[in-house]
Amino acid sequence: MAWHRWAAVALCIASLVAAQRQLSARPMPSPLAFKSISGERYSQLRRQTIQFVEARPRHGFQFVERHEDGAFQILCRGVPVLWLERRSQYLLMQATLDVEQRAPDVLQLRALLQRQLQPLDYLEQVLAGVPEPVLMDRMLGVLAGGVPDGARCVTE
């Protein structure tokens, strides 16, 4: 009977290690949906994001735009940390769950952008198909550990 307990503990540890490897390879997004905005307003958010990146030329940030759908994102040393996507019914903003460790300055930009937008309520977000990260995702993110110094974009 004792070996069942040891097997269960070993299985839990193995799954945590596997989750840690998977999470460190691909940061998970934390999506938020907002009410649809005009093209002019979206361009203004885009300009603010470009200004954020240009104000930090040596910190590893990069602005990338997908021309096919007009979405844009901020990369931190090649890893997406924040992106906006304009959809027909709403605006989707996503940030990786490790953004606080990987690129803490992006939190300020995210807050600035969020203040200018009207969020969808929880039911509208669910109906739009925008999933909220579950507690388990957040817990696994914490267990995955910190971001290596070479992969961070921080202001000294």
Side-chain angles (χ1 to χ4, degrees):
M1 198 63 144
W3 70 274
H4 288 302
R5 286 189 203 125
W6 285 108
V9 169
L11 183 60
C12 287
I13 291 172
S15 63
L16 287 174
V17 169
Q20 180 178 1
R21 286 188 182 161
Q22 182 181 19
L23 288 173
S24 61
R26 183 176 44 95
M28 296 179 303
S30 174
L32 293 171
F34 299 90
K35 296 201 186 277
S36 189
I37 59 174
S38 69
E40 183 181 319
R41 188 81 181 111
Y42 190 72
S43 294
Q44 184 180 9
L45 297 177
R46 182 183 166 279
R47 280 192 302 275
Q48 289 174 335
T49 304
I50 290 171
Q51 289 171 350
F52 170 86
V53 171
E54 288 175 347
R56 294 157 181 80
R58 292 183 298 276
H59 297 284
F61 290 111
Q62 181 183 4
F63 177 85
V64 177
E65 189 167 18
R66 294 190 320 229
H67 293 287
E68 65 274 0
D69 60 4
F72 60 86
Q73 59 187 350
I74 294 179
L75 304 180
C76 168
R77 306 208 186 277
V79 177
V81 290
L82 179 73
W83 53 100
L84 270 76
E85 187 176 334
R86 191 168 171 213
R87 299 195 176 168
S88 60
Q89 300 297 321
Y90 59 92
L91 176 74
L92 183 66
M93 179 186 301
Q94 298 184 79
T96 55
L97 292 176
D98 69 351
V99 70
E100 189 171 349
Q101 293 85 27
R102 187 175 296 275
D105 288 353
V106 171
L107 295 175
Q108 295 170 347
L109 175 64
R110 183 178 70 178
L112 172 72
L113 298 175
Q114 282 180 300
R115 278 193 300 269
Q116 302 172 58
L117 301 168
Q118 185 177 2
L120 293 179
D121 65 33
Y122 180 76
L123 182 58
E124 288 174 315
Q125 213 166 265
V126 169
L127 292 174
V130 179
E132 174 64 23
V134 295
L135 179 60
M136 182 59 123
D137 292 339
R138 293 186 187 278
M139 193 170 82
L140 289 174
V142 169
L143 291 174
V147 175
D149 286 339
R152 297 177 49 152
C153 295
V154 291
T155 345
E156 267 58 51

